[in-house]
Amino acid sequence: MDSNSLFYSLELVAGSGNTLNVEQTTALQTSLVILKKNYKFHRVLFWGKILGLKEDYFIAQGRGEDEMKDKKTLYSFNCMDWMLLAPATDSVIEEVSKTAKGSFVGDPSYVYEHVEIHRAGGRNDAIQEEVVTKVNEESRLAVTVHQIDEEASVVPRGAYLRSPHGLVQINRSFGGLSHSEAGKLDNFLHFSKAKNLKKKSILEMGDLNPAIDFLDVLSDDIPKGSWSLQLECASRVLVLRSLLWPGLTFFHLPTTPQHGHIYIGDGRKNLDLPFMI
Amino acid sequence: MESTDGNDAKSEQRLKSAAVLKSFMLKSSTESKLNLYDHLSRVLMKVMDEHPDNAVDVIEDVSREVKRGLFEDKQSTLRDLPQTTAAELLAEQQRLLFSRPEEADQEEELMDTPLPNVSEVAFYLEQAGVGLGREEMQRVFLALKQLVESQGLPRCRLWGKILGTESSYIVAEAEYREGEEEEESTEEAAEDEERDVEKEMNPLPQSAYKPPPTVPKEALGTGANKFAFYVCKEPGLPWVKLPSVSPAQITGARQIRKFFTGTLDTPIVSYPHFPGNEANYLRAQIARISAGTQVSPQGFYQAGEEEGDEEDEAPRDSFEVNPDFEGVPVAEMAESLSTWVHHVQHILQQGRCTWVNLAVKPGDDSNEEGEGEEKEEEPDEPEPEVGPPLLTPLSQDAEMLNIPPWTSKMSSVLTSQHALAVLRSNLWPGAYSYASGKKFENIYVGWGLKYSGEGFSQAVPPLPQKEYPSGPEITEALDPSVEEEQVLKEALEEEQAAQEEKDDTDDPEEEDDD
């Protein structure tokens, strides 16, 4: 969620149980302003918190001119000193998916090890080769943040525009979804590069507005029912929770442009989802 | 000239008759206040505008449509339908929470109230980084007040919130009133009777299978049923009391992993089968979470003073508030887990807090003489399960799934003098506890699911049973053909004939004997 609206938007996602205490919020208000200036970001988002066994990672995200591509992720333990995370490349993602298991520890230099035994040759003269993959927790953090952004970051339909040049920017004239629109998953989009859009039939494509509908719709997610949509805070705030990434909460105040999402959780994807719904 | 005159006169007459017809057509109807002239001109205008194909065939429809068009204009002046949104309906319900009490017996309430100070709890929880939001907490506070007043509970506490896919549950924990009994038991008895009646009417073949003995429920006010739990979806909506939990439900809940939906009567579709609906599942998870995560600073409670002849085997199940408790320094509480103790009994593998021996039949108590003999015959007496006693320090908790069960820290680094000690459960994500001096509280806000390690593996259905071994006695044989039967018949006849001959030869001998 945008750092400027942090002081009231945290209250709106508090229904999931986790919040920040006053010391942390005030520290964020100060440090994110400095962060924005130092890194020359257009705006700074407070992305969330990943709970570790020893320490918790606080995560902020800076956005440049293009909201989708110019992203930088930073982490901190005390909400004041921010460290930049390296972008997650495909090779790192693969390594992390092999090695990292269980909860985060809370130490960026903690090393996860994975031993894979490759067998070569025939049955009798089998040559065993041990391949050890090592990954530190900092790259796991980068990968986790990247994956959550890819799979669970949500925006209401119409909040972002893509210009004909491909630049994605905030839609200044977005007035919010109406109450009836806000009750349907079709009006919420994944804020990541579209994957399903090309698979749609021509008939469905006919209704889409190329400036707005350049993202995937949540209702196309597999399995069906991987989002929980509810009205909270006396039924005035629309809250979406991801069941695939438990801990991700999105809020939107219908008929106002206020929206945002935050992740506070243990950084583990819910692979058991198909059994649970 | 005459002809032209005549023509003029004719045309004048024609005009006149046209005017008459026009005036006739302009006469408005008494019923619909329309007139034919206007109507025809509208119809024609519509035809000119739209140029329909085969206009003459559809002229009736066009005419009807024009008439209906006039109607629709009138309809728009009707009152518009008022739409009620969910927020309005809820606001109407929540208005009752803010109604002022009559100022009759306020002083009494101030003395000793069963209502917890949720605002204070919310303040501390906010320091700890947990909570439902300030306004929501206030609403929950008022809803708890409503619950206490309507149910007359001796003591009540905000237990937490369980998130569901469609709506969430706010859970309140309350002590049972003295002498309170479950309402369900009578219903069950009635059902049994009904079943008996049915059996008498059309008897069915009885199965020889006897189900393994079910573990009996714990009595209200003890073990896993020590407290009653009330849930509501939103503060202001009615509170629903959850049924008490049975050991089968606890063991069932351990084997499945399901999200809550938010509706209490949803059936739980799972393998292995869960005995009950979502209300029972919710109650079982609450019992498990309570047993795992309800903790207090060491020394706040002390073991209850029991009579001298205390059996060593029986685990302590009662405790009382220690009046001399001074509070443990926060730094120490945040540092070591041995300063925290469990104050809810551990649930055994059996699904109960106190172990019950199933091998002993309940009827045996009356005739103790025969019992001794029977016991000797029993091949293996089950080993009694023993859990850790009450008020065991957290430092003795077993490490499961390669993670330490608890994470503790101070709520503030900068002003540690006034910080709280905060404890987070890693096995039950969402369970938090704080302690500061003599004050402490536990809360759970989460999905109601235990940490599953690397992944949950669904229980596999049992292997299919072996087929009956096929032998000659159950093998199907081919029916003999007519020829074969003939052959057999002849053989039999021959045999019979031989027998008869033999008999015949025998008989005279017998006669001779006589």
Side-chain angles (χ1 to χ4, degrees):
Chain A
M1 50 184 66
D2 200 304
S3 59
N4 293 329
S5 63
L6 197 61
F7 63 96
Y8 67 82
S9 41
L10 272 176
E11 182 86 348
L12 302 178
V13 293
S16 303
N18 284 304
T19 51
L20 303 180
N21 67 23
V22 185
E23 186 181 307
Q24 287 157 354
T25 8
T26 39
L28 285 174
Q29 304 281 13
T30 308
S31 68
L32 291 181
V33 172
I34 298 170
L35 187 78
K36 185 177 162 190
K37 181 184 144 233
N38 287 353
Y39 283 88
K40 297 192 172 61
F41 289 135
H42 282 222
R43 66 186 191 121
V44 183
L45 302 168
F46 179 64
W47 187 89
K49 184 162 90 164
I50 290 187
L51 308 172
L53 296 177
K54 288 184 194 138
E55 291 282 341
D56 301 336
Y57 295 97
F58 292 88
I59 292 160
Q61 206 168 55
R63 296 265 171 95
E65 197 184 1
D66 188 319
E67 288 279 335
M68 195 124 89
K69 285 175 196 144
D70 304 343
K71 265 191 216 174
K72 270 179 188 156
T73 312
L74 302 103
Y75 72 95
S76 160
F77 289 110
N78 54 6
C79 300
M80 286 309 285
D81 309 315
W82 295 92
M83 277 80 78
L84 195 65
L85 275 178
T89 57
D90 287 349
S91 63
V92 178
I93 292 174
E94 200 192 325
E95 277 177 8
V96 168
S97 64
K98 269 187 205 162
T99 52
K101 287 190 179 86
S103 293
F104 277 79
V105 176
D107 174 12
S109 55
Y110 180 86
V111 177
Y112 294 91
E113 269 190 8
H114 174 74
V115 182
E116 211 170 286
I117 297 170
H118 289 271
R119 287 209 170 80
R123 251 196 200 174
N124 301 326
D125 49 17
I127 305 157
Q128 288 201 355
E129 195 187 348
E130 284 193 358
V131 179
V132 183
T133 338
K134 284 186 184 178
V135 165
N136 64 2
E137 193 160 272
E138 196 173 14
S139 32
R140 182 184 177 194
L141 188 67
V143 170
T144 307
V145 172
H146 173 76
Q147 282 178 333
I148 293 176
D149 269 342
E150 284 285 305
E151 294 172 13
S153 64
V154 188
V155 292
R157 181 172 177 268
Y160 286 86
L161 285 178
R162 187 174 64 177
S163 72
H165 302 293
L167 202 67
V168 179
Q169 282 182 318
I170 294 178
N171 181 2
R172 300 277 167 204
S173 62
F174 175 61
L177 302 174
S178 73
H179 281 279
S180 58
E181 279 175 335
K184 288 178 198 145
L185 271 186
D186 309 9
N187 291 309
F188 297 94
L189 310 169
H190 281 286
F191 195 63
S192 59
K193 205 161 177 263
K195 296 177 197 83
N196 295 335
L197 214 53
K198 283 177 192 161
K199 293 177 199 159
K200 290 210 168 195
S201 67
I202 304 255
L203 269 178
E204 287 169 306
M205 295 277 272
D207 294 336
L208 304 183
N209 176 349
I212 293 174
D213 299 299
F214 59 99
L215 301 168
D216 280 337
V217 186
L218 287 197
S219 53
D220 290 345
D221 278 11
I222 297 170
K224 289 261 180 278
S226 50
W227 290 91
S228 147
L229 189 147
Q230 290 179 28
L231 288 169
E232 285 196 354
C233 300
S235 293
R236 249 172 270 126
V237 185
L238 178 114
V239 175
L240 266 173
R241 293 198 180 89
S242 173
L243 305 183
L244 188 64
W245 286 96
L248 188 117
T249 316
F250 164 87
F251 78 92
H252 174 54
L253 282 161
T255 67
T256 71
Q258 309 297 344
H259 69 91
H261 60 85
I262 193 169
Y263 179 85
I264 303 185
D266 57 4
R268 293 168 65 238
K269 188 174 177 171
N270 182 11
L271 298 172
D272 310 331
L273 181 65
F275 297 121
M276 294 169 69
I277 42 177
Chain B
M1 287 298 281
E2 264 185 35
S3 66
T4 52
D5 278 350
N7 273 348
D8 277 350
K10 261 186 192 171
S11 69
E12 216 173 59
Q13 209 176 0
R14 218 179 282 148
L15 278 175
K16 204 178 175 185
S17 64
V20 167
L21 187 64
K22 187 181 175 185
S23 72
F24 164 73
M25 291 205 301
L26 275 169
K27 211 161 107 186
S28 56
S29 142
T30 49
E31 270 180 35
S32 62
K33 305 274 186 280
L34 295 176
N35 63 55
L36 185 58
Y37 185 85
D38 285 350
H39 178 67
L40 281 179
S41 60
R42 278 195 206 104
V43 169
L44 288 177
M45 261 154 73
K46 199 173 164 68
V47 170
M48 279 191 291
D49 286 346
E50 292 179 4
H51 275 276
D53 295 333
N54 305 335
V56 65
D57 295 335
V58 297
I59 191 74
E60 292 93 341
D61 293 359
V62 174
S63 147
R64 198 179 301 130
E65 221 171 287
V66 167
K67 278 190 181 167
R68 195 186 293 148
L70 293 170
F71 241 108
E72 269 166 8
D73 276 345
K74 266 183 197 159
Q75 256 179 347
S76 69
T77 59
L78 288 173
R79 269 193 305 171
D80 64 325
L81 196 65
Q83 275 187 330
T84 44
T85 63
E88 283 163 9
L89 287 173
L90 188 66
E92 208 52 51
Q93 293 272 342
Q94 287 183 337
R95 205 168 68 93
L96 299 174
L97 293 179
F98 298 92
S99 56
R100 276 167 188 274
E102 279 127 54
E103 294 174 22
D105 50 350
Q106 231 174 8
E107 280 182 23
E108 271 178 43
E109 278 183 20
L110 286 174
M111 293 297 284
D112 182 31
T113 168
L115 187 68
N117 188 349
V118 179
S119 296
E120 192 189 10
V121 172
F123 167 74
Y124 284 122
L125 285 176
E126 197 188 334
Q127 304 288 307
V130 203
L132 306 173
R134 282 182 194 170
E135 284 182 20
E136 190 71 6
M137 268 299 199
Q138 187 62 35
R139 276 191 284 265
V140 170
F141 192 7
L142 292 173
L144 278 180
K145 177 169 164 255
Q146 192 192 37
L147 172 70
V148 168
E149 281 169 4
S150 63
Q151 302 281 333
L153 301 170
R155 190 171 294 275
C156 174
R157 189 176 84 84
L158 174 65
W159 185 88
K161 177 180 177 182
I162 289 199
L163 303 173
T165 52
E166 278 151 38
S167 66
S168 311
Y169 297 111
I170 290 163
V171 185
E173 181 189 85
E175 269 175 24
Y176 280 104
R177 285 189 297 267
E178 273 180 39
E180 191 169 346
E181 275 180 35
E182 192 116 26
E183 295 132 21
E184 274 178 80
S185 51
T186 52
E187 285 172 28
E188 273 174 34
E191 270 179 37
D192 281 345
E193 274 173 31
E194 271 176 37
R195 267 180 232 150
D196 287 345
V197 171
E198 266 179 40
K199 270 179 203 165
E200 279 167 29
M201 282 170 74
N202 37 356
L204 288 169
Q206 294 287 318
S207 162
Y209 172 75
K210 272 186 193 161
T214 48
V215 186
K217 253 188 196 183
E218 280 171 306
L220 298 188
T222 59
N225 285 325
K226 188 165 185 186
F227 295 105
F229 288 91
Y230 292 83
V231 296
C232 73
K233 283 185 181 178
E234 282 274 350
L237 297 185
W239 289 90
V240 182
K241 189 179 178 183
L242 292 180
S244 63
V245 68
S246 75
Q249 285 158 0
I250 289 183
T251 44
R254 279 179 177 148
Q255 292 167 1
I256 62 173
R257 207 170 154 75
K258 293 282 279 184
F259 276 121
F260 291 94
T261 60
T263 328
L264 282 175
D265 49 5
T266 319
I268 301 283
V269 184
S270 67
Y271 185 83
H273 171 70
F274 181 79
N277 57 15
E278 187 163 301
N280 300 105
Y281 179 46
L282 179 66
R283 182 64 186 79
Q285 289 297 78
I286 289 174
R288 293 177 65 205
I289 295 170
S290 296
T293 67
Q294 300 275 303
V295 294
S296 57
Q298 186 171 33
F300 187 86
Y301 291 116
Q302 61 184 10
E305 286 167 24
E306 287 175 28
E307 263 89 282
D309 53 347
E310 190 185 324
E311 284 178 45
D312 287 356
E313 289 172 27
R316 292 182 286 180
D317 62 347
S318 66
F319 54 80
E320 55 191 30
V321 176
N322 181 0
D324 306 327
F325 179 63
E326 286 297 319
V328 184
V330 166
E332 206 179 306
M333 296 217 67
E335 198 62 36
S336 94
L337 287 178
S338 54
T339 52
W340 295 87
V341 293
H342 286 282
H343 63 256
V344 172
Q345 275 179 303
H346 177 79
I347 301 179
L348 302 169
Q349 205 62 41
Q350 198 180 33
R352 285 172 58 102
C353 295
T354 46
W355 189 75
V356 67
N357 191 351
L358 291 178
V360 179
K361 282 159 198 136
D364 287 348
D365 295 338
S366 52
N367 50 346
E368 281 181 23
E369 288 162 27
E371 203 182 331
E373 292 165 31
E374 264 183 47
K375 266 198 173 175
E376 279 168 29
E377 284 168 25
E378 300 249 348
D380 40 19
E381 183 78 2
E383 190 84 1
E385 294 171 19
V386 181
L390 213 55
L391 307 182
T392 308
L394 298 192
S395 47
Q396 292 179 21
D397 281 10
E399 183 166 308
M400 285 169 79
L401 304 161
N402 300 324
I403 58 161
W406 298 93
T407 297
S408 63
K409 56 171 62 126
M410 303 264 270
S411 68
S412 165
V413 193
L414 303 173
T415 52
S416 54
Q417 299 86 341
H418 297 288
L420 310 171
V422 181
L423 201 60
R424 185 173 80 216
S425 170
N426 292 325
L427 286 182
W428 288 102
Y432 286 85
S433 305
Y434 72 78
S436 159
K438 288 186 186 180
K439 295 206 167 93
F440 75 94
E441 189 60 69
N442 301 290
I443 195 166
Y444 180 86
V445 188
W447 294 98
L449 298 166
K450 197 170 183 170
Y451 176 76
S452 68
E454 290 185 10
F456 165 75
S457 47
Q458 181 86 9
V460 188
L463 288 174
Q465 290 203 333
K466 282 235 174 79
E467 285 196 22
Y468 192 84
S470 69
E473 74 274 15
I474 60 158
T475 317
E476 202 173 345
L478 284 178
D479 278 349
S481 63
V482 180
E483 290 80 27
E484 279 170 338
E485 266 179 20
Q486 209 68 42
V487 169
L488 188 74
K489 213 175 174 181
E490 279 168 16
L492 276 173
E493 273 173 10
E494 267 175 36
E495 206 175 299
Q496 218 171 350
Q499 192 76 25
E500 273 172 21
E501 265 177 38
K502 205 182 173 190
D503 285 351
D504 287 345
T505 51
D506 284 353
D507 280 341
E509 280 170 27
E510 277 169 28
E511 276 170 21
D512 289 342
D513 286 344
D514 284 334

